[in-house]
Amino acid sequence: MRIFRYADPAHGRARLAVAAPGRSPIELDAAWLDAGGDDEPFLRSTLALIEAGPSVWQEVASIAEASNGPQVAGMRWLCPFDRVPSLRDFLAFEDHVRRGAQRRGTPIPDYWFEAPIYYKGNHRSLIGPDDPCPWPSYTNKLDLELELAMVVGRRARDLSTEDAPSMVFGFTIFNDFSARDIQAREVTAWLGPGKGKDFANSFGPCIVTADEVGTEPDLEMICRVNGEEWGRARSSSIHWKWADMLAHVSRSEDVWPGDVYGSGTPGGCCGLDLDRFLEPGDVVELEIERIGVLRNTIGDRPRDTFGE
């Protein structure tokens, strides 16, 4: 099943749409009520739908499969999340890590092979399909990162890697926009990234549930700028599996429904690995098989851009 959020000017609010494999998206609230269901908060909130649990997910999937309800056409897709309780972004592709080590002239740190490391991103700084990415006033090196993002489905603690897959709700595309010059400076002070990452996290165009793509998906990933391909990879080339990430985070700590984990970018799927950076007006497209295309246009540089 695929879950979308869209802008509905007629109702003056965002609404949810769902689609069974091979079917067009339908209005969730209309289809649910037509099937005899009561009005529920999860008809209007992605987070509430995830928090409602597996029995509701199955009901919604069944309705999406059987319904001939109103199709959603001609609407603008929004970020599929109305709220993200927590955002963690991992560094899980070894090829990207090796390229970074080569740039620094250092070996990969031993701890990278011991545990899936991550930083906590700004879970409120969300943009979606076709939203402009604002250019931060403090950077001259704006970059994209092609990532697969996993959405946690249930609350858990102290997971084993065997139990962790049952916690996966689904996946979406994540563009971890990055201010590379300030990020490089921040990490020299032994913390961060902060301002190097927190200004824009783009997700979409939909969430695809794990029953459709599996809990360790093998999907083709492509990034393009102005129609030119910059990088390509497969999600299965990841070193740290999603089960590893969940088990690691859950040690003596709860994981929560709606939490989002980014994979980190595969090698060659960001400008930093290619020594290429974005310019105002660039159109960035991230495509992941079976999920779709996430497109954003880069905004203008503010007049007080750092170093200008």
Side-chain angles (χ1 to χ4, degrees):
M1 176 175 65
R2 289 170 291 150
I3 301 167
F4 299 83
R5 287 178 70 241
Y6 65 98
D8 184 357
H11 290 78
R13 59 177 172 83
R15 303 178 71 185
L16 297 188
V18 293
R23 304 282 294 275
S24 297
I26 60 170
E27 298 174 3
L28 174 57
D29 50 2
W32 179 270
L33 296 173
D34 286 348
D38 296 327
D39 188 25
E40 300 281 359
F42 59 72
L43 299 178
R44 292 172 290 279
S45 165
T46 309
L47 180 58
L49 176 58
I50 297 168
E51 291 175 331
S55 61
V56 170
W57 308 341
Q58 185 56 54
E59 286 185 71
V60 170
S62 297
I63 287 172
E65 182 67 43
S67 176
N68 292 314
Q71 294 187 0
V72 178
M75 300 293 185
R76 185 172 74 86
W77 299 133
L78 304 174
C79 174
F81 304 109
D82 54 300
R83 287 176 291 154
V84 171
S86 177
L87 173 61
R88 291 175 172 86
D89 198 15
F90 289 77
L91 186 63
F93 285 92
E94 186 175 351
D95 186 27
H96 178 59
V97 177
R98 289 195 179 280
R99 291 176 187 229
Q102 289 169 0
R103 283 193 301 272
R104 296 175 178 88
T106 63
I108 296 175
D110 291 341
Y111 188 68
W112 188 85
F113 294 100
E114 297 175 23
I117 61 171
Y118 62 90
Y119 75 91
K120 291 183 179 178
N122 187 343
H123 65 115
R124 296 181 184 272
S125 186
L126 308 178
I127 62 176
D130 296 313
D131 286 338
C133 173
W135 191 292
S137 62
Y138 45 80
T139 185
N140 282 312
K141 287 189 174 182
L142 189 61
D143 198 3
L144 64 94
E145 283 202 12
L146 168 61
E147 301 194 24
L148 182 64
M150 184 270 288
V151 186
V152 178
R154 291 187 281 172
R155 183 177 177 180
R157 190 181 184 95
D158 292 322
L159 290 163
S160 68
T161 53
E162 291 74 27
D163 292 335
S166 65
M167 299 297 114
V168 176
F169 177 76
F171 297 89
T172 190
I173 304 172
F174 175 25
N175 195 334
D176 174 31
F177 284 109
S178 304
R180 294 302 193 188
D181 42 4
I182 192 65
Q183 177 190 359
R185 297 175 68 195
E186 286 178 318
V187 298
T188 64
W190 303 350
L191 276 179
K195 301 299 287 183
K197 293 282 190 176
D198 285 352
F199 57 92
N201 298 297
S202 184
F203 296 98
C206 65
I207 301 168
V208 177
T209 51
D211 59 343
E212 192 169 327
V213 296
T215 58
E216 300 288 350
D218 175 26
L219 305 173
E220 186 171 54
M221 307 169 66
I222 306 169
C223 55
R224 303 182 184 91
V225 178
N226 301 325
E228 177 190 355
E229 184 175 312
W230 277 25
R232 181 184 295 247
R234 296 205 71 86
S235 62
S236 57
S237 66
I238 202 166
H239 176 89
W240 290 105
K241 304 302 182 186
W242 297 105
D244 299 322
M245 300 180 211
L246 276 162
H248 178 64
V249 172
S250 72
R251 291 178 61 192
S252 301
E253 180 182 348
D254 288 345
V255 298
W256 294 85
D259 285 354
V260 176
Y261 295 4
S263 63
T265 189
C269 293
C270 66
L272 184 64
D273 284 350
L274 307 171
D275 195 26
R276 304 181 71 175
F277 297 98
L278 299 172
E279 296 291 341
D282 282 349
V283 178
V284 180
E285 293 180 317
L286 306 187
E287 180 175 358
I288 298 184
E289 182 182 5
R290 302 183 69 178
I291 301 178
V293 176
L294 174 61
R295 182 183 299 106
N296 299 102
T297 300
I298 305 303
D300 292 336
R301 293 174 185 255
R303 290 189 177 184
D304 61 342
T305 300
F306 174 78
E308 289 290 295

